[in-house]
Amino acid sequence: MTMDKTIINIGRQLGSGGSQIAKMLAEEFGCEFYDRKLLNLAAKESGFPEEMFEKTDEHVGFLKSLFTMPLPIISDSNFYKSDISEDGLFQFQSDAIRKAAEKGSCVFVGRCADYVLRDNPHAINIFVSADMEWRANRVMERHACSHDEAVKIIRLAEDKRASYYNYYTGKRWGDSASYHLCINSSLLGLRKTADVIALFIREWKQNNHTNL
């Protein structure tokens, strides 16, 4: 077995810049980048509309609203053949993650990819955190909102994100035991944080290649 393939799973706190760092790593290692693109892949895989995956993206307890909103007419799909449940949608998304990882090097952002690919020897799991003040300032700039509103946005989003991750993995979101590396992006900034992670990944790949 070789370690030529690179699979990077990025968990992140809201406002930490984890998605931007993930893009930098994808460019650095020549990987396909998957963030919300996964929702499109899962939709194609399942035959369900992408909107269904968007509504349940990284949080649980939302599917009931799908039955009160208009859905497009779906021809030749699994819509009436499958059990429409959040667990079912998670399974379709997980299948899309596995298929993408089989094709080549990838960077996945969130969506429990670290758990889905837990048996993949090429996968390395990173969690990006940052100080609350730094994250709040980034969210304030992005949403043109007050500091208090930014903190509320962060806490609400992270409650949903943690519940989703904990529910499907049986682990605790952000717990260092679930990742190979946890790093605070507010200490070095996005570019240097990406550089440190890239160095770590190269060393990890070399060490794993030697031990295989």
Side-chain angles (χ1 to χ4, degrees):
M1 182 185 295
T2 68
M3 294 299 292
D4 292 336
K5 186 185 288 187
T6 303
I7 307 294
I8 306 169
N9 302 314
I10 301 289
R12 73 285 184 222
Q13 289 184 320
L14 188 70
S16 66
S19 292
Q20 293 96 315
I21 290 170
K23 286 182 181 179
M24 295 176 191
L25 293 171
E27 292 176 3
E28 179 77 17
F29 290 96
C31 298
E32 192 73 25
F33 177 75
Y34 293 96
D35 192 346
R36 294 185 63 81
K37 181 180 178 182
L38 274 173
L39 307 183
N40 178 261
L41 290 179
K44 289 180 179 178
E45 180 73 22
S46 65
F48 294 153
E50 188 172 343
E51 186 177 15
M52 293 180 71
F53 291 91
E54 290 175 349
K55 292 294 184 181
T56 58
D57 187 28
E58 293 198 286
H59 60 274
V60 293
F62 206 99
L63 187 62
K64 58 186 178 182
S65 67
L66 293 175
F67 295 100
T68 63
M69 71 179 188
L71 291 173
I73 297 174
I74 309 167
S75 59
D76 191 27
S77 75
N78 297 317
F79 189 85
Y80 294 108
K81 300 176 184 177
S82 300
D83 175 25
I84 306 174
S85 67
E86 288 179 342
D87 290 351
L89 296 181
F90 176 79
Q91 187 59 54
F92 282 122
Q93 184 170 274
S94 298
D95 290 344
I97 290 172
R98 293 189 192 95
K99 287 187 177 182
E102 287 174 3
K103 290 180 180 178
S105 296
C106 304
V107 174
F108 296 102
V109 178
R111 282 86 188 179
C112 300
D114 61 307
Y115 178 75
V116 173
L117 299 175
R118 60 193 180 279
D119 296 324
N120 190 313
H122 303 286
I124 183 166
N125 306 321
I126 311 293
F127 190 83
V128 181
S129 64
D131 296 343
M132 174 58 85
E133 226 20 60
W134 196 77
R135 292 191 288 142
N137 287 334
R138 285 174 51 81
V139 171
M140 286 168 61
E141 182 177 346
R142 185 188 311 165
H143 293 280
C145 63
S146 69
H147 181 275
D148 287 347
E149 289 171 330
V151 171
K152 287 180 182 178
I153 290 171
I154 289 171
R155 288 177 175 165
L156 178 61
E158 291 192 344
D159 282 347
K160 292 179 179 178
R161 194 173 284 175
S163 294
Y164 178 88
Y165 182 89
N166 298 348
Y167 176 80
Y168 284 112
T169 69
K171 301 191 293 181
R172 214 172 81 189
W173 180 76
D175 189 329
S176 61
S178 298
Y179 309 93
H180 295 99
L181 175 68
C182 296
I183 190 166
N184 185 328
S185 60
S186 58
L187 300 179
L188 298 175
L190 303 188
R191 180 69 264 175
K192 288 185 179 179
T193 297
D195 290 342
V196 170
I197 295 173
L199 176 61
F200 178 86
I201 291 172
R202 289 193 179 91
E203 291 295 327
W204 179 85
K205 283 168 63 68
Q206 179 62 40
N207 184 61
N208 277 269
H209 177 75
T210 301
N211 291 332
L212 287 173

